[in-house]
Structure formats: structure tokens, C-alpha cells
Amino acid sequence: MDYDRTNIPEMYKRGRDHGPAFLEQWMTVVATYVEPTQVHEILDLGCGTGRFSDGLAVHFNARLIGIDPSIKMLRQALEGQTTPRAHYAIGVAEAVPLPANSVDM
């Protein structure tokens, strides 16, 4: 779906928000799959509106790069950003605009 041709991005985050308890539970589950002290750079591929981006950056005290093909979704991510540790760029999974092995998670 091409989100840039719709108004979905404006409502997307609100419609998928499950609250802070869900976010913390999700972060705890993610942390069981990595060594948290070894995570310094995170890739949030298909970050959309960034609903997990800030939480990941804060939970792991890491720099996060959110990649999404939709300018409108990235705009929402930037508008809702709560930490300077999250950075956003336009891109697609087939051609991630990062050097190989440049992220830990």
C-alpha cells in the first residue's frame, strides 16, 4: 500500500496505540532476544509512524534509525518523537540505506 496516497498516516498511530503498559511489555519481550548492554545501534525497518521507535531507543539507551518508504508516515514519526536518539530516513527493505553490519539490532 502506498500510504502517501492516503490519509491513513494521520490516524495510524492513534488507531494502533495500546498504551504504555503494552509498550513496556513489548520491550521486555524484545530484550529477551538480545544482550541489552551490547545494543548501541537499532534499525527499525518499516518504522511507519514510529510507534515503537522512541520506546526502543529509550529502553536500550541506543541510537535508532527508523526507515520507511512513506514520507507521510515518517512525518508522523517526527512529529511524535520524544527522544533525540531516534533518527528517520526514507528507504525500503530491499535497499536499506545503511552500511552492512552497522546496526546491532
Side-chain angles (χ1 to χ4, degrees):
M1 166 172 273
D2 184 352
Y3 286 110
D4 289 337
R5 292 184 162 190
T6 72
N7 291 328
I8 292 172
E10 288 79 20
M11 303 301 284
Y12 190 90
K13 195 170 186 176
R14 189 173 351 149
R16 295 188 179 246
D17 183 12
H18 300 292
F22 172 81
L23 184 62
E24 187 55 37
Q25 180 182 22
W26 194 84
M27 295 302 152
T28 301
V29 170
V30 170
T32 65
Y33 291 94
V34 297
E35 175 54 51
T37 60
Q38 300 301 311
V39 176
H40 307 288
E41 301 280 336
I42 300 171
L43 171 61
D44 188 355
L45 186 58
C47 66
T49 60
R51 73 181 176 132
F52 295 113
S53 301
D54 285 356
L56 285 165
V58 170
H59 186 87
F60 290 99
N61 193 29
R63 180 175 177 258
L64 180 133
I65 302 127
I67 305 289
D68 200 271
S70 168
I71 293 169
K72 285 184 175 182
M73 293 292 250
L74 291 172
R75 187 176 301 130
Q76 293 297 313
L78 286 167
E79 288 176 6
Q81 187 173 1
T82 60
T83 178
R85 294 181 147 293
H87 307 274
Y88 298 97
I90 199 156
V92 294
E94 296 82 7
V96 175
L98 297 172
N101 301 313
S102 63
V103 297
D104 306 305
M105 182 172 88

